[in-house]
Amino acid sequence: YSIILSSVAAGTIITMTSFHWLLAWIGLELNTLAIIPIIAKQHHPRATEATTKYFLTQAAASAMVLFASTLNAWSSGTWDISQLTNPQSCTLLTLALSMKLGLAPLHFWLPEVLQGTSMKTALIIATWQKLAPLSLLYLVHNSINPTILLTMAMLSALTGGWGGLNQTQTRKILAFSSIAHLGWMMSILTLNPDILLLNLILYIIMTTPTFLLLKYTASKTVKDLTTSWTVSPQTTTLMMILLMSLGGLPPLTGFMPKWLILQELTTHNLTTTATIMAMSALLSLFFYLRLSYVSTLTLYPTTTKATNKWRFKPKPLTTPTTTLTVLSLLLLPMTPMLV
């Protein structure tokens, strides 16, 4: 397991540090092939289905990356990542990397794959697996067509909002939340890529404790969340504030990227885009509110006298969860330092 995980890490790092298209492609392939056994480890039909879907989409996207880079090398004579000059290659590469990330309209695999895996694997797919494609997009941000990117960004933000409304599975809800966050990141890529990096870091900081808390309380569906307060009332309170931060409410960290992105969009006279993005944030906020309402603000009818379960010292290490939760809630005042 540790060898496979280190291969996943190595694949991402190879892609992030490469200057040659072939090396970047090798990193993406290594990363995909290494995570396949992690998803399939449960030996469950659903896990196998998720693995197949993941493999097919990622392999197709990798092939498109290779095709786009070959096309560019054929027309410009260079394999350097920063020398992406062919417009067809740019469009193809944008589509390929969007497919790898799970941006709308190429997002259909993401909720299905997250639903078929364990919480821990879903966390890896929702956070670590985004780093390699995003680093490639960051490297070629000067050559990318902004219209395509902004259209996909708006579509993703709206899809992430609409799609999460009628879900009952927490992993699917977090998958749609991931699509919406990626939409926000893409909207800023061609205008100010540094804000994209800030948004990515904050997204990882906020999503990781959410997954870890859901794993800790064993909450796979919204119905499971109703009884999660019996496991630990403090945890559910933290989860409520965490979900509000993910939704982007002002005094919390999650507001920072949204605020900076909307400010940047309006500075570039993209008022319509900014309005649509802000409206889509309301859709996402609705299902975060629903989750927090179910987990914290309601009590399920209990017949037993004892309100809390027997609790022993938790087996999993809680330090990362607590550290990241604190960061997810209190980073907003640091905005002037980060910008």
Side-chain angles (χ1 to χ4, degrees), residues 256-275:
M256 189 202 300
K258 288 188 166 50
W259 170 29
L260 293 172
I261 288 170
L262 289 175
Q263 186 183 339
E264 199 70 27
L265 287 170
T266 43
T267 311
H268 287 84
N269 287 330
L270 295 164
T271 328
T272 318
T273 313
T275 312

Side-chain angles (χ1 to χ4, degrees), residues 258-332:
K258 288 188 166 50
W259 170 29
L260 293 172
I261 288 170
L262 289 175
Q263 186 183 339
E264 199 70 27
L265 287 170
T266 43
T267 311
H268 287 84
N269 287 330
L270 295 164
T271 328
T272 318
T273 313
T275 312
I276 293 170
M277 298 297 282
M279 291 302 203
S280 72
L282 290 174
L283 291 170
S284 300
L285 188 62
F286 178 80
F287 62 77
Y288 292 128
L289 268 170
R290 204 181 75 195
L291 282 180
S292 57
Y293 179 73
V294 163
S295 62
T296 318
L297 303 173
T298 52
L299 286 182
Y300 78 110
T302 174
T303 50
T304 53
K305 292 280 193 294
T307 51
N308 285 354
K309 292 180 187 174
W310 275 96
R311 283 206 310 280
F312 299 102
K313 193 165 186 270
K315 279 198 195 79
L317 194 67
T318 51
T319 323
T321 317
T322 45
T323 314
L324 289 167
T325 306
V326 169
L327 289 175
S328 303
L329 308 182
L330 304 173
L331 278 185
L332 189 67

Side-chain angles (χ1 to χ4, degrees), residues 49-85:
E49 185 190 336
T51 313
T52 314
K53 283 177 179 168
Y54 186 80
F55 176 72
L56 289 174
T57 48
Q58 298 296 315
S62 286
M64 276 170 75
V65 168
L66 192 61
F67 181 52
S69 53
T70 314
L71 198 65
N72 184 61
W74 186 40
S75 66
S76 66
T78 174
W79 284 94
D80 194 345
I81 289 184
S82 53
Q83 302 292 320
L84 193 68
T85 48

Side-chain angles (χ1 to χ4, degrees), residues 40-326:
K41 201 177 70 148
Q42 289 174 298
H43 305 299
H44 187 277
R46 211 169 238 181
T48 317
E49 185 190 336
T51 313
T52 314
K53 283 177 179 168
Y54 186 80
F55 176 72
L56 289 174
T57 48
Q58 298 296 315
S62 286
M64 276 170 75
V65 168
L66 192 61
F67 181 52
S69 53
T70 314
L71 198 65
N72 184 61
W74 186 40
S75 66
S76 66
T78 174
W79 284 94
D80 194 345
I81 289 184
S82 53
Q83 302 292 320
L84 193 68
T85 48
N86 189 343
Q88 286 85 10
S89 296
C90 296
T91 311
L92 253 179
L93 186 78
T94 312
L95 290 172
L97 293 174
S98 305
M99 191 169 172
K100 268 203 162 310
L101 287 168
L103 276 174
L106 307 163
H107 66 281
F108 292 98
W109 62 271
L110 187 61
E112 299 295 324
V113 170
L114 287 202
Q115 185 52 37
T117 60
S118 64
M119 277 290 175
K120 200 160 65 175
T121 318
L123 169 63
I124 297 171
I125 296 169
T127 54
W128 184 262
Q129 294 299 90
K130 308 287 181 225
L131 294 179
L134 276 171
S135 63
L136 282 180
L137 279 169
Y138 182 78
L139 285 170
V140 298
H141 73 87
N142 288 321
S143 336
I144 290 176
N145 183 343
T147 319
I148 297 174
L149 215 54
L150 281 171
T151 311
M152 291 181 96
M154 284 193 288
L155 265 175
S156 300
L158 289 167
T159 309
W162 282 122
L165 290 179
N166 62 346
Q167 298 298 334
T168 53
Q169 303 283 339
T170 49
R171 278 166 297 186
K172 277 198 174 178
I173 288 177
L174 283 170
F176 281 107
S177 140
S178 172
I179 293 164
H181 277 277
L182 284 167
W184 280 89
M185 285 181 225
M186 287 305 108
S187 67
I188 202 67
L189 176 63
T190 47
L191 308 175
N192 191 339
D194 295 339
I195 296 181
L196 167 112
L197 289 184
L198 176 67
N199 195 343
L200 175 65
I201 293 162
L202 293 178
Y203 162 71
I204 291 172
I205 286 174
M206 291 185 295
T207 306
T208 309
T210 312
F211 270 108
L212 291 173
L213 287 173
L214 288 173
K215 182 172 173 280
Y216 176 55
T217 54
S219 305
K220 290 185 176 63
T221 61
V222 174
K223 194 172 69 179
D224 293 341
L225 275 172
T226 52
T227 58
S228 65
W229 68 273
T230 57
V231 178
S232 163
Q234 297 84 352
T235 310
T236 41
T237 312
L238 276 178
M239 203 189 293
M240 179 186 80
I241 311 172
L242 239 178
L243 288 163
M244 292 302 94
S245 184
L246 267 171
L249 283 188
L252 306 165
T253 309
F255 178 59
M256 189 202 300
K258 288 188 166 50
W259 170 29
L260 293 172
I261 288 170
L262 289 175
Q263 186 183 339
E264 199 70 27
L265 287 170
T266 43
T267 311
H268 287 84
N269 287 330
L270 295 164
T271 328
T272 318
T273 313
T275 312
I276 293 170
M277 298 297 282
M279 291 302 203
S280 72
L282 290 174
L283 291 170
S284 300
L285 188 62
F286 178 80
F287 62 77
Y288 292 128
L289 268 170
R290 204 181 75 195
L291 282 180
S292 57
Y293 179 73
V294 163
S295 62
T296 318
L297 303 173
T298 52
L299 286 182
Y300 78 110
T302 174
T303 50
T304 53
K305 292 280 193 294
T307 51
N308 285 354
K309 292 180 187 174
W310 275 96
R311 283 206 310 280
F312 299 102
K313 193 165 186 270
K315 279 198 195 79
L317 194 67
T318 51
T319 323
T321 317
T322 45
T323 314
L324 289 167
T325 306
V326 169

